Amino acid sequence: MTTPTGIDANARHAEKMKKHKAAKDRILAAKVADKGLLIVHTGAGKGKSSAAFGMVFRHIAHEMPVAVVQFTKAPDWVTGEAILLRRFPELCTLEIMGEGFTWDTQDRERDIASARKAWERAKELIRDARHKMVLLDELNIVLRYDYLPLAEVIDFLKAEKPADKHVVITGRNAKPELIEIADLVTEMTLIKHPFRAGVKAQKGVEF
């Protein structure tokens, strides 16, 4: 058995990639629709909000207005995303409306009131035709603790989300009903995390 020369191997690779490209081109030619997506980032792994903010920054780069509602982060928290987004007030409406984690507040009624206020603002921003995308950061946490009625959220997203608007929802433990109506769902899987080895949350990585 002879080993193919470098020229033969390259020719075979080129032919294989030519067929692969033709197949991909046929698939792409059939994808002609634009649609506002309902996107869910969930799972125990790190990166749910980070990936969502990546899309926020892409919109800003394309000069497409976006809105962000943060359901658990408090206004006095100093996060990298807030520092950067405040540099683009004409392109990003940033609403930091949480009061910290539920174990910090230790007050269920206060958490429910905070969640309700944030949700009412989120609905306004979703209805607003100016915003191409709205990020509902950590809404899944709110729904997990029943701070908002799940049916109300599902019904609004199904009935009132504009057809051309992207809505992104982040947080662990996404409800099955939300996953069911979503267009794109990504589950972040935890394999290793430095926190378990005694490493605290670090600027530029977690916030």
Side-chain angles (χ1 to χ4, degrees), residues 81-139:
E81 60 266 23
I83 292 170
L84 185 56
L85 290 175
R86 288 192 177 108
R87 297 180 183 179
F88 302 94
E90 73 285 0
L91 288 171
C92 181
T93 301
L94 176 62
E95 303 282 4
I96 305 175
M97 304 189 69
E99 296 197 45
F101 298 114
T102 185
W103 56 82
D104 290 327
T105 62
Q106 300 175 20
D107 186 334
R108 179 174 172 80
E109 292 304 315
R110 178 176 161 188
D111 290 339
I112 290 174
S114 175
R116 171 54 61 183
K117 185 176 180 180
W119 174 238
E120 293 304 320
R121 181 59 175 144
K123 290 193 291 185
E124 292 175 359
L125 293 169
I126 291 171
R127 292 180 179 122
D128 187 344
R130 178 173 179 268
H131 301 104
K132 180 65 176 175
M133 184 175 80
V134 178
L135 167 57
L136 308 180
D137 191 35
E138 304 288 9
L139 176 59

Side-chain angles (χ1 to χ4, degrees), residues 119-176:
W119 174 238
E120 293 304 320
R121 181 59 175 144
K123 290 193 291 185
E124 292 175 359
L125 293 169
I126 291 171
R127 292 180 179 122
D128 187 344
R130 178 173 179 268
H131 301 104
K132 180 65 176 175
M133 184 175 80
V134 178
L135 167 57
L136 308 180
D137 191 35
E138 304 288 9
L139 176 59
N140 285 336
I141 304 301
V142 167
L143 296 175
R144 175 188 181 188
Y145 287 107
D146 298 318
Y147 293 161
L148 290 171
L150 175 62
E152 177 185 339
V153 174
I154 296 293
D155 288 347
F156 175 84
L157 291 172
K158 290 171 65 175
E160 295 199 47
K161 183 185 84 65
D164 62 346
K165 179 162 296 184
H166 305 307
V167 173
V168 186
I169 298 173
T170 69
R172 295 185 179 204
N173 302 110
K175 295 288 188 178

